[in-house]
Each structure stands twice: as C-alpha cells, then as structure tokens.
Amino acid sequence: MANARGAIIVGASSGIGEALARRLAADGYEIGLTARRMERLREIGADLPTKSYVAAMDVTDSAEARDRFFELAEAMPSVDLVVISAGVATVNPDLEWEPERQTVAVNVGGFTALATAAMTYFERESGTACGTDGHLVGISSVAAHVGNGDAPAYNASKAYVSRYLEGLRYREGDRDADVTITTIEPGFVDTKLSLGGFWECSPETAAEQIARAIRNKRAHAYVTRRWRAIAWLVALAPEWLLRRLF
C-alpha cells in the first residue's frame, strides 16, 4: 500500500501554522507538527483526522532544530511538503536590542536553518508519496515589500524570506531534483502576530488559500489575493509617500 502524503509544519502550535495543519489533514496529509509548546502540539495532533507526529523545536537553536527536523522526517512514512510558518513580529520604534535580535534570530536564522534542512532532505530523498521531489513553502508577508519605521526588523526579515525563497527557485534550475518552492505573502491575519486590522482575514481563510496555492504548485501567492494590489501600489509609490505611511 502506498504511503499517505506527509507534511511537516514548522510553527504549528497557533495561528496560520495550526490552521494549515488542520486544513492539510482534512485533505488527507499525515502531519508532522513542530513548535516549542509540546503539550499544545499533542492537543492539535490528537484532534486531526489523520496520523500526526510531534517534535519540540526552538528554531533559534539552529543545530538542534535541524536535528529535530531530520528526526521527524525520518519518523514519517513520507514527507512531501514542508511549511515554515514560525515567526515573530514586534513593534519596536525605539530600536530596543532584544526585540530586534529575537526577530532576526527567528525570522531569518531559524527560517534559513529549516529551509536548508528541507531542501537537503528533498534533494537527498528525491521521491515522495506524490511522486515528486518535494515542496517547500515559506510564510513571508506583504510587509516584505516596504520598510517600516515602527517594526524595521520584521519587515526586513520578511524581505529576506521572500528573496531567499526566490533564490532557491533559481537554484533549482541547475539541480537534478525538482523541488517546488512557494512563497506565501499574507497581509493582516487575525493572529497574535497581526500588526494591523483592515482586510484582516481569519487563519482558516488564510489556510484555505495557502492550501490552494500548494495544490496548484504556485511559485508565489498573496493571502488574501486582494493584497496583490497593495504590493503593486507600494512598488509604484514615491519614497516620500512611503515614508509618511510607514
């Protein structure tokens, strides 16, 4: 009997990560759940309709996080999909060091540690239950398109995520393995990380649109799709206007 499809979600204990775990499980994926809160992961896993696997992970400890990722992947019959949803957002106009340091450690260092681990795994395995070489999804943000004086590290870290995933897509052109890489750029989603309010969608709505992007093997998707217009406007706006807005 063929293995069921499997997905590992990094940052699955709340928000978009939790909602996406539930959405993908409803689509038949077995789910590997990772985050710092082990008890919460067990609660979520017990509520899923498919088999779940859990691993405690602090992405700021990159060496241990990568070890935990590979251990979790080896414990699952198949890993077709890896979603990196772990992230932090802090309003920090006074540039206090600890919030900036933590944002970079999680959103840049932790993301890179797990993205490279996922790519290593997919290129080493070169075969999944879906018959593909794997699919990496990174949760960035519409904030990647512009700086922000109140949250400079957050917007900069999301720009890093978007550009890094873009670089990985370019890299795949010269590799034997054909790993699909998807950049998700949400606007405001009703989670603890939300820094806004207008056009804010629920985590469940975000998860539904992300799942659709995964099914369609999109290279890039805005969540919700109306945020594409904001990205376009930011690209066209003069710097003096952006300085007044952000």
Side-chain angles (χ1 to χ4, degrees), residues 2 12 20 38 91 108 114 118 183 191 201-202 216 243:
L20 188 57
M38 193 69 167
V91 175
V108 176
L114 273 301
T183 305
T191 71
C201 72
S202 69
N216 293 335
R243 285 185 180 183

Side-chain angles (χ1 to χ4, degrees), residues 2-6 29 77-81 127-134:
N3 289 332
R5 293 175 298 170
Y29 281 86
S78 178
V79 177
D80 304 76
L81 171 67
T128 65
C130 295
T132 68
D133 291 331

Side-chain angles (χ1 to χ4, degrees), residues 14-17 188-196 200-203 206:
S14 63
I16 291 174
F188 296 133
V189 180
D190 186 13
T191 71
K192 293 179 180 179
L193 297 186
S194 180
L195 298 179
E200 188 171 70
C201 72
S202 69

Side-chain angles (χ1 to χ4, degrees), residues 80 118-119 122-128 130-136 168-181 217:
D80 304 76
M119 293 300 293
F122 286 140
E123 291 176 355
R124 184 179 68 199
E125 296 298 314
S126 293
T128 65
C130 295
T132 68
D133 291 331
H135 192 162
L136 172 63
L168 292 182
R169 280 193 293 274
Y170 295 164
R171 176 181 177 275
E172 282 303 285
D174 295 326
R175 316 298 291 189
D176 291 333
D178 184 17
V179 180
T180 300
I181 298 161
K217 296 186 176 181

Side-chain angles (χ1 to χ4, degrees), residues 81-210:
L81 171 67
V82 174
V83 180
I84 305 177
S85 184
V88 296
T90 303
V91 175
N92 187 29
D94 294 330
L95 298 182
E96 295 178 8
W97 169 236
E98 182 54 27
E100 300 296 274
R101 185 202 66 78
Q102 180 72 3
T103 299
V104 173
V106 174
N107 296 2
V108 176
F111 166 80
T112 308
L114 273 301
T116 53
M119 293 300 293
T120 297
Y121 178 81
F122 286 140
E123 291 176 355
R124 184 179 68 199
E125 296 298 314
S126 293
T128 65
C130 295
T132 68
D133 291 331
H135 192 162
L136 172 63
V137 177
I139 308 299
S140 181
S141 172
V142 173
H145 293 265
V146 64
N148 188 326
D150 287 332
Y154 177 75
N155 286 45
S157 71
K158 290 305 182 178
Y160 175 90
V161 170
S162 292
R163 297 289 77 77
Y164 196 90
L165 291 167
E166 183 178 54
L168 292 182
R169 280 193 293 274
Y170 295 164
R171 176 181 177 275
E172 282 303 285
D174 295 326
R175 316 298 291 189
D176 291 333
D178 184 17
V179 180
T180 300
I181 298 161
T182 299
T183 305
I184 302 294
E185 292 186 342
F188 296 133
V189 180
D190 186 13
T191 71
K192 293 179 180 179
L193 297 186
S194 180
L195 298 179
F198 79 98
W199 286 356
E200 188 171 70
C201 72
S202 69
E204 291 73 25
T205 296
E208 182 62 40
Q209 294 198 11
I210 294 169

